[in-house]
Amino acid sequence: MNILVSACLLGVCCRYDGTGEENESVGRLKEKYHLIPVCPEIYGGLPTPRPPAERVGERVVTKEGTDVTGQYQKGAGEALRLAEYFHCKAAVLKAKSPSCGKGRIHDGTFSGGMTDGDGVTAQLLAANGILVYNETDVEELDRR
C-alpha cells in the first residue's frame, strides 16, 4: 500500500523553521508500505524557511498577519493529486500543523495554545476518503 507522508517526518528540512523532524515510528513504516513524501506548504509555493502560520477559522495567516490561505489550499490540492495518482489509501501527517494537523491544531493566537480542528491538507484528504493519521497515532495505521 502507498501512504502519503509529511516529508518533514522523514527528516527532510522543509518545516517552517527550515528543519526536519525525522520520526522513528514513521520511518519504520517503509518496512511495510511504500511512502510518498509530500510538503503541502512547499507545493503551495511557500519558501523554506517561512514565517510561522496558524489557522484562524477557514483562513491561514502568518504571525505577521499575512493571509497565506491560497498557498495552503493550493498545496493541499497538490497533495491530494499525488495521493490520487499513487492510489494512497492513507496519509501520515505532521501533528498540530495548520496544513497537516489532524484533530488538534494551533489555535491561531501564536501563543502555543491548541484547539480542535484539522489542517487544510488533512481536511481535504479526509474529505476525499483518505485515512489521515498524525505521527502520534501511527501505530493505529500499522494495526490495519
Side-chain angles (χ1 to χ4, degrees):
M1 178 167 75
N2 293 336
I3 299 176
L4 217 58
V5 177
S6 289
C8 62
L9 295 175
L10 299 175
V12 176
C13 296
C14 58
R15 294 185 67 213
Y16 76 95
D17 59 2
T19 67
E21 191 175 284
E22 191 168 358
N23 182 286
E24 226 176 275
S25 296
V26 174
R28 278 196 302 271
L29 291 173
K30 73 179 180 228
E31 297 167 11
K32 193 171 178 183
Y33 306 104
H34 184 239
L35 307 182
I36 311 294
V38 298
C39 180
E41 291 92 337
I42 289 175
Y43 295 163
L46 295 170
T48 302
R50 57 191 163 272
E54 295 186 5
R55 275 194 96 166
V56 179
E58 290 301 309
R59 296 181 1 189
V60 182
V61 296
T62 67
K63 193 171 185 177
E64 294 82 21
T66 303
D67 189 322
V68 289
T69 306
Q71 291 94 325
Y72 274 71
Q73 290 171 335
K74 179 182 178 194
E78 294 302 313
L80 176 60
R81 181 188 319 267
L82 286 172
E84 290 172 340
Y85 182 84
F86 287 105
H87 305 287
C88 296
K89 303 293 183 218
V92 177
L93 305 176
K94 180 72 186 103
K96 304 177 187 176
S97 160
S99 181
C100 296
K102 176 188 167 274
R104 297 282 293 165
I105 57 173
H106 289 286
D107 66 7
T109 64
F110 297 92
S111 65
M114 303 296 293
T115 189
D116 291 339
D118 295 324
V120 177
T121 299
Q123 185 175 23
L124 182 64
L125 293 176
N128 283 274
I130 296 168
L131 298 172
V132 177
Y133 302 88
N134 284 148
E135 75 273 20
T136 56
D137 56 6
V138 75
E139 292 79 23
E140 288 179 38
L141 171 64
D142 213 24
R143 285 194 294 261
R144 290 182 106 339

